[in-house]
Every structure is written in structure tokens, then in C-alpha cells.
Amino acid sequence: RAERLYKTMTEVNTMTIAALRKTLASLDMKKKSLESEGEAIISELTSRTDGGGEPMGMNTPLVDRDGYPRSDIDIFRARTLRRRLAEIKTDRSTMLIDIEKKLQKLAMLNVSF
């Protein structure tokens, strides 16, 4: 009976380990996708405009020194990109915490296995 219970627990651990590995692989792909999108956004925000003007920037003012919207950039695009970059950073941080927890669980299962 104990041998059968051990065999059942071993099978459950094996299935759990496989499921965790599959989930971790999926999370890693999503993380890489987010990072790639973030890099593209940063590149666009930090590139000079078509007219050779200052880049939109990640933190630069979207208005000129007189308080009017800058005419050399697409204000809506700049705000949209900045917002999406902030979302990506938040999503990535949350995902890294989830990955860390799953890696710890996987390590515990591998040790007990």
C-alpha cells in the first residue's frame, strides 16, 4: 500500500513538474514579447523626428517653453507610447514575480522528487 501511494505521489509530482515547466516556458515567451515591444517603444521615443527635431523622449515635456503643444511631434502618439511603456513595465514586474514563485515551487518539487 505504501509503495502504491509513493508511486501515485511520484506520478503526481512528475505531472506537476511538467505542467510547471510548460507554464514557465509560456511565461518566458510572453516576457520576451513584452521586452521586445518595450524596446521598440523606447527606440521610437528616443529617435529624432523626421524633421530632425528633438525626440519625443520618455520624460521630456510635450509642450514648448510658451506652454503650447510641440509642433514637431505627434503628441497623441507620444502619450500613447509612454502609457503603453508604463503598462509593459508593470506587466513585466508582475510576470517576473510569478515566474520566481513558480521556479521556487519547481525547485521544491525537484528536491522532494
Side-chain angles (χ1 to χ4, degrees), residues 6-68:
Y6 175 76
K7 183 178 177 184
T8 303
M9 289 177 60
T10 303
E11 289 172 355
V12 169
N13 276 350
T14 303
M15 290 187 318
T16 303
I17 288 170
L20 274 172
R21 286 185 177 155
K22 186 175 180 180
T23 301
L24 283 166
S26 173
L27 286 171
D28 187 53
M29 287 177 50
K30 289 178 185 177
K31 180 181 75 75
K32 287 178 181 177
S33 174
L34 283 176
E35 289 170 345
S36 176
E37 184 182 355
E39 289 171 8
I41 289 172
I42 290 170
S43 176
E44 185 174 343
L45 286 172
T46 57
S47 298
R48 292 206 171 270
T49 60
D50 292 336
E54 289 298 314
M56 291 185 258
M58 295 174 34
N59 299 316
T60 56
L62 301 177
V63 295
D64 60 18
R65 48 178 188 249
D66 295 327
Y68 293 103

Side-chain angles (χ1 to χ4, degrees), residues 51-97:
E54 289 298 314
M56 291 185 258
M58 295 174 34
N59 299 316
T60 56
L62 301 177
V63 295
D64 60 18
R65 48 178 188 249
D66 295 327
Y68 293 103
R70 287 176 52 188
S71 61
D72 61 331
I73 61 171
D74 181 351
I75 302 292
F76 179 76
R77 179 85 177 139
R79 293 188 62 168
T80 302
L81 289 172
R82 288 176 178 185
R83 178 187 47 83
R84 180 63 186 140
L85 185 59
E87 290 171 352
I88 288 171
K89 287 179 179 180
T90 301
D91 292 349
R92 184 180 176 278
S93 295
T94 303
M95 192 175 293
L96 287 175
I97 291 168

